mmCIF file of all heavy atoms in Angstrom:
data_model
loop_
_atom_site.group_PDB
_atom_site.id
_atom_site.type_symbol
_atom_site.label_atom_id
_atom_site.label_comp_id
_atom_site.label_asym_id
_atom_site.label_seq_id
_atom_site.Cartn_x
_atom_site.Cartn_y
_atom_site.Cartn_z
ATOM 1 N N VAL S 234 49.072 -173.517 -135.674
ATOM 2 C CA VAL S 234 48.371 -173.289 -136.952
ATOM 3 C C VAL S 234 47.094 -172.488 -136.675
ATOM 4 O O VAL S 234 46.151 -173.013 -136.063
ATOM 5 C CB VAL S 234 48.098 -174.608 -137.696
ATOM 6 C CG1 VAL S 234 47.359 -174.346 -139.052
ATOM 7 C CG2 VAL S 234 49.364 -175.381 -137.957
ATOM 8 N N PRO S 235 46.960 -171.320 -137.271
ATOM 9 C CA PRO S 235 45.621 -170.671 -137.191
ATOM 10 C C PRO S 235 44.560 -171.339 -138.023
ATOM 11 O O PRO S 235 44.750 -171.551 -139.231
ATOM 12 C CB PRO S 235 46.006 -169.159 -137.682
ATOM 13 C CG PRO S 235 47.107 -169.440 -138.597
ATOM 14 C CD PRO S 235 47.901 -170.511 -138.075
ATOM 15 N N GLY S 236 43.474 -171.703 -137.427
ATOM 16 C CA GLY S 236 42.381 -172.416 -138.172
ATOM 17 C C GLY S 236 41.204 -171.484 -138.401
ATOM 18 O O GLY S 236 41.333 -170.226 -138.088
ATOM 19 N N PRO S 237 40.135 -171.905 -138.914
ATOM 20 C CA PRO S 237 38.933 -171.092 -139.181
ATOM 21 C C PRO S 237 38.323 -170.513 -137.978
ATOM 22 O O PRO S 237 38.262 -171.217 -136.973
ATOM 23 C CB PRO S 237 38.019 -172.150 -139.809
ATOM 24 C CG PRO S 237 38.776 -173.358 -140.197
ATOM 25 C CD PRO S 237 39.914 -173.400 -139.343
ATOM 26 N N ARG S 238 38.010 -169.259 -138.016
ATOM 27 C CA ARG S 238 37.328 -168.630 -136.798
ATOM 28 C C ARG S 238 35.809 -168.691 -137.000
ATOM 29 O O ARG S 238 35.174 -168.431 -135.960
ATOM 30 C CB ARG S 238 37.787 -167.136 -136.785
ATOM 31 C CG ARG S 238 39.153 -166.912 -136.458
ATOM 32 C CD ARG S 238 39.581 -167.626 -135.236
ATOM 33 N NE ARG S 238 38.777 -167.253 -134.065
ATOM 34 C CZ ARG S 238 38.996 -166.312 -133.193
ATOM 35 N NH1 ARG S 238 40.124 -165.488 -133.415
ATOM 36 N NH2 ARG S 238 38.198 -166.049 -132.175
ATOM 37 N N HIS S 239 35.378 -169.217 -138.111
ATOM 38 C CA HIS S 239 33.825 -169.414 -138.266
ATOM 39 C C HIS S 239 33.561 -170.876 -138.195
ATOM 40 O O HIS S 239 34.288 -171.731 -138.483
ATOM 41 C CB HIS S 239 33.459 -168.836 -139.661
ATOM 42 C CG HIS S 239 34.275 -169.415 -140.765
ATOM 43 N ND1 HIS S 239 35.451 -168.851 -141.239
ATOM 44 C CD2 HIS S 239 34.034 -170.526 -141.548
ATOM 45 C CE1 HIS S 239 35.888 -169.615 -142.274
ATOM 46 N NE2 HIS S 239 35.071 -170.605 -142.454
ATOM 47 N N PRO S 240 32.246 -171.270 -137.785
ATOM 48 C CA PRO S 240 31.905 -172.606 -137.722
ATOM 49 C C PRO S 240 31.845 -173.273 -139.073
ATOM 50 O O PRO S 240 31.492 -172.635 -140.128
ATOM 51 C CB PRO S 240 30.498 -172.447 -137.134
ATOM 52 C CG PRO S 240 30.344 -171.160 -136.460
ATOM 53 C CD PRO S 240 31.155 -170.303 -137.335
ATOM 54 N N LEU S 241 32.194 -174.576 -139.114
ATOM 55 C CA LEU S 241 32.128 -175.307 -140.303
ATOM 56 C C LEU S 241 31.108 -176.366 -140.225
ATOM 57 O O LEU S 241 30.694 -176.839 -139.131
ATOM 58 C CB LEU S 241 33.575 -176.017 -140.663
ATOM 59 C CG LEU S 241 34.706 -175.096 -140.793
ATOM 60 C CD1 LEU S 241 35.973 -175.891 -140.822
ATOM 61 C CD2 LEU S 241 34.570 -174.166 -142.042
ATOM 62 N N ALA S 242 30.672 -176.931 -141.325
ATOM 63 C CA ALA S 242 29.745 -178.157 -141.414
ATOM 64 C C ALA S 242 30.165 -178.996 -142.558
ATOM 65 O O ALA S 242 30.715 -178.523 -143.586
ATOM 66 C CB ALA S 242 28.283 -177.628 -141.595
ATOM 67 N N LEU S 243 29.866 -180.303 -142.393
ATOM 68 C CA LEU S 243 30.213 -181.276 -143.491
ATOM 69 C C LEU S 243 28.936 -182.104 -143.666
ATOM 70 O O LEU S 243 28.468 -182.771 -142.792
ATOM 71 C CB LEU S 243 31.380 -182.148 -143.044
ATOM 72 C CG LEU S 243 31.884 -183.171 -144.041
ATOM 73 C CD1 LEU S 243 32.380 -182.481 -145.287
ATOM 74 C CD2 LEU S 243 33.083 -183.945 -143.375
ATOM 75 N N GLN S 244 28.442 -181.958 -144.926
ATOM 76 C CA GLN S 244 27.238 -182.633 -145.269
ATOM 77 C C GLN S 244 26.076 -182.287 -144.259
ATOM 78 O O GLN S 244 25.290 -183.225 -143.887
ATOM 79 C CB GLN S 244 27.374 -184.100 -145.448
ATOM 80 C CG GLN S 244 26.514 -184.741 -146.517
ATOM 81 C CD GLN S 244 27.037 -186.058 -146.998
ATOM 82 O OE1 GLN S 244 28.056 -186.571 -146.526
ATOM 83 N NE2 GLN S 244 26.299 -186.731 -147.916
ATOM 84 N N GLY S 245 26.077 -181.060 -143.883
ATOM 85 C CA GLY S 245 25.043 -180.600 -142.980
ATOM 86 C C GLY S 245 25.255 -180.867 -141.476
ATOM 87 O O GLY S 245 24.567 -180.469 -140.621
ATOM 88 N N ARG S 246 26.358 -181.666 -141.229
ATOM 89 C CA ARG S 246 26.647 -181.925 -139.739
ATOM 90 C C ARG S 246 27.714 -180.860 -139.212
ATOM 91 O O ARG S 246 28.751 -180.635 -139.777
ATOM 92 C CB ARG S 246 27.293 -183.342 -139.694
ATOM 93 C CG ARG S 246 26.281 -184.463 -139.666
ATOM 94 C CD ARG S 246 25.847 -184.776 -141.007
ATOM 95 N NE ARG S 246 25.127 -186.036 -141.000
ATOM 96 C CZ ARG S 246 24.439 -186.534 -142.183
ATOM 97 N NH1 ARG S 246 24.424 -185.831 -143.241
ATOM 98 N NH2 ARG S 246 23.756 -187.634 -142.020
ATOM 99 N N PRO S 247 27.308 -180.223 -138.120
ATOM 100 C CA PRO S 247 28.299 -179.203 -137.591
ATOM 101 C C PRO S 247 29.533 -179.828 -137.157
ATOM 102 O O PRO S 247 29.668 -180.960 -136.572
ATOM 103 C CB PRO S 247 27.510 -178.694 -136.406
ATOM 104 C CG PRO S 247 26.143 -179.019 -136.625
ATOM 105 C CD PRO S 247 26.106 -180.255 -137.397
ATOM 106 N N VAL S 248 30.675 -179.119 -137.465
ATOM 107 C CA VAL S 248 32.015 -179.599 -136.985
ATOM 108 C C VAL S 248 32.233 -178.997 -135.636
ATOM 109 O O VAL S 248 32.287 -177.723 -135.382
ATOM 110 C CB VAL S 248 33.144 -179.024 -137.943
ATOM 111 C CG1 VAL S 248 34.509 -179.353 -137.392
ATOM 112 C CG2 VAL S 248 32.944 -179.659 -139.331
ATOM 113 N N LEU S 249 32.275 -179.838 -134.575
ATOM 114 C CA LEU S 249 32.393 -179.389 -133.190
ATOM 115 C C LEU S 249 33.761 -178.944 -132.866
ATOM 116 O O LEU S 249 33.887 -177.982 -132.142
ATOM 117 C CB LEU S 249 31.892 -180.577 -132.269
ATOM 118 C CG LEU S 249 30.489 -181.073 -132.475
ATOM 119 C CD1 LEU S 249 30.291 -182.292 -131.584
ATOM 120 C CD2 LEU S 249 29.537 -179.951 -132.217
ATOM 121 N N GLU S 250 34.770 -179.643 -133.388
ATOM 122 C CA GLU S 250 36.180 -179.236 -133.071
ATOM 123 C C GLU S 250 37.070 -179.831 -134.155
ATOM 124 O O GLU S 250 36.715 -180.822 -134.865
ATOM 125 C CB GLU S 250 36.559 -179.789 -131.643
ATOM 126 C CG GLU S 250 36.485 -181.288 -131.486
ATOM 127 C CD GLU S 250 36.962 -181.659 -130.087
ATOM 128 O OE1 GLU S 250 37.655 -180.900 -129.387
ATOM 129 O OE2 GLU S 250 36.635 -182.698 -129.647
ATOM 130 N N LEU S 251 38.250 -179.222 -134.282
ATOM 131 C CA LEU S 251 39.299 -179.690 -135.118
ATOM 132 C C LEU S 251 40.502 -180.051 -134.218
ATOM 133 O O LEU S 251 40.967 -179.216 -133.505
ATOM 134 C CB LEU S 251 39.654 -178.722 -136.215
ATOM 135 C CG LEU S 251 38.517 -178.390 -137.181
ATOM 136 C CD1 LEU S 251 39.066 -177.212 -138.150
ATOM 137 C CD2 LEU S 251 38.204 -179.552 -138.054
ATOM 138 N N VAL S 252 41.035 -181.255 -134.449
ATOM 139 C CA VAL S 252 42.116 -181.694 -133.610
ATOM 140 C C VAL S 252 43.327 -182.117 -134.456
ATOM 141 O O VAL S 252 43.135 -182.904 -135.302
ATOM 142 C CB VAL S 252 41.679 -182.893 -132.713
ATOM 143 C CG1 VAL S 252 42.778 -183.382 -131.749
ATOM 144 C CG2 VAL S 252 40.398 -182.679 -131.962
ATOM 145 N N PRO S 253 44.480 -181.422 -134.321
ATOM 146 C CA PRO S 253 45.622 -181.653 -135.209
ATOM 147 C C PRO S 253 46.519 -182.765 -134.696
ATOM 148 O O PRO S 253 46.559 -183.090 -133.518
ATOM 149 C CB PRO S 253 46.330 -180.304 -135.103
ATOM 150 C CG PRO S 253 46.154 -179.827 -133.677
ATOM 151 C CD PRO S 253 44.741 -180.324 -133.266
ATOM 152 N N ALA S 254 47.344 -183.298 -135.614
ATOM 153 C CA ALA S 254 48.362 -184.371 -135.239
ATOM 154 C C ALA S 254 49.506 -184.096 -136.209
ATOM 155 O O ALA S 254 49.281 -184.012 -137.445
ATOM 156 C CB ALA S 254 47.772 -185.724 -135.314
ATOM 157 N N VAL S 255 50.682 -184.167 -135.667
ATOM 158 C CA VAL S 255 51.876 -184.111 -136.460
ATOM 159 C C VAL S 255 52.791 -185.203 -136.134
ATOM 160 O O VAL S 255 52.732 -185.859 -135.053
ATOM 161 C CB VAL S 255 52.704 -182.749 -136.278
ATOM 162 C CG1 VAL S 255 51.859 -181.608 -136.895
ATOM 163 C CG2 VAL S 255 52.975 -182.509 -134.794
ATOM 164 N N PRO S 256 53.675 -185.599 -137.042
ATOM 165 C CA PRO S 256 54.577 -186.770 -136.818
ATOM 166 C C PRO S 256 55.763 -186.508 -135.966
ATOM 167 O O PRO S 256 56.131 -185.290 -135.674
ATOM 168 C CB PRO S 256 55.027 -187.246 -138.281
ATOM 169 C CG PRO S 256 55.031 -185.872 -139.030
ATOM 170 C CD PRO S 256 53.889 -185.101 -138.450
ATOM 171 N N ILE S 257 56.498 -187.473 -135.528
ATOM 172 C CA ILE S 257 57.764 -187.289 -134.954
ATOM 173 C C ILE S 257 58.846 -187.979 -135.720
ATOM 174 O O ILE S 257 58.583 -188.972 -136.502
ATOM 175 C CB ILE S 257 57.759 -187.922 -133.489
ATOM 176 C CG1 ILE S 257 57.413 -189.381 -133.499
ATOM 177 C CG2 ILE S 257 56.956 -187.097 -132.543
ATOM 178 C CD1 ILE S 257 57.486 -190.162 -132.184
ATOM 179 N N ALA S 258 60.070 -187.416 -135.663
ATOM 180 C CA ALA S 258 61.218 -187.897 -136.462
ATOM 181 C C ALA S 258 62.442 -187.340 -135.865
ATOM 182 O O ALA S 258 62.417 -186.458 -134.920
ATOM 183 C CB ALA S 258 61.054 -187.509 -137.895
ATOM 184 N N MET S 259 63.599 -187.704 -136.388
ATOM 185 C CA MET S 259 64.932 -187.219 -136.010
ATOM 186 C C MET S 259 65.168 -187.111 -134.523
ATOM 187 O O MET S 259 65.548 -186.155 -133.970
ATOM 188 C CB MET S 259 65.099 -185.785 -136.605
ATOM 189 C CG MET S 259 65.019 -185.761 -138.118
ATOM 190 S SD MET S 259 65.331 -184.107 -138.821
ATOM 191 C CE MET S 259 67.122 -183.902 -138.344
ATOM 192 N N ARG S 260 64.817 -188.165 -133.847
ATOM 193 C CA ARG S 260 65.075 -188.433 -132.462
ATOM 194 C C ARG S 260 64.202 -187.587 -131.549
ATOM 195 O O ARG S 260 64.346 -187.559 -130.303
ATOM 196 C CB ARG S 260 66.536 -188.269 -132.083
ATOM 197 C CG ARG S 260 67.462 -189.128 -132.766
ATOM 198 C CD ARG S 260 68.947 -188.727 -132.546
ATOM 199 N NE ARG S 260 69.247 -188.664 -131.154
ATOM 200 C CZ ARG S 260 69.699 -189.616 -130.292
ATOM 201 N NH1 ARG S 260 69.854 -190.776 -130.907
ATOM 202 N NH2 ARG S 260 69.991 -189.464 -129.059
ATOM 203 N N LEU S 261 63.178 -186.840 -132.086
ATOM 204 C CA LEU S 261 62.253 -186.008 -131.341
ATOM 205 C C LEU S 261 61.168 -187.020 -130.857
ATOM 206 O O LEU S 261 60.368 -187.538 -131.692
ATOM 207 C CB LEU S 261 61.693 -184.884 -132.104
ATOM 208 C CG LEU S 261 62.613 -183.954 -132.616
ATOM 209 C CD1 LEU S 261 61.946 -182.760 -133.459
ATOM 210 C CD2 LEU S 261 63.593 -183.439 -131.620
#
């Protein structure tokens, strides 16, 4: 998944990194 190329902040706190998670199903 292509994410933002620019820095983000939440309530003034810098977002250091974004970490994704997806589920497993169908014997995977």
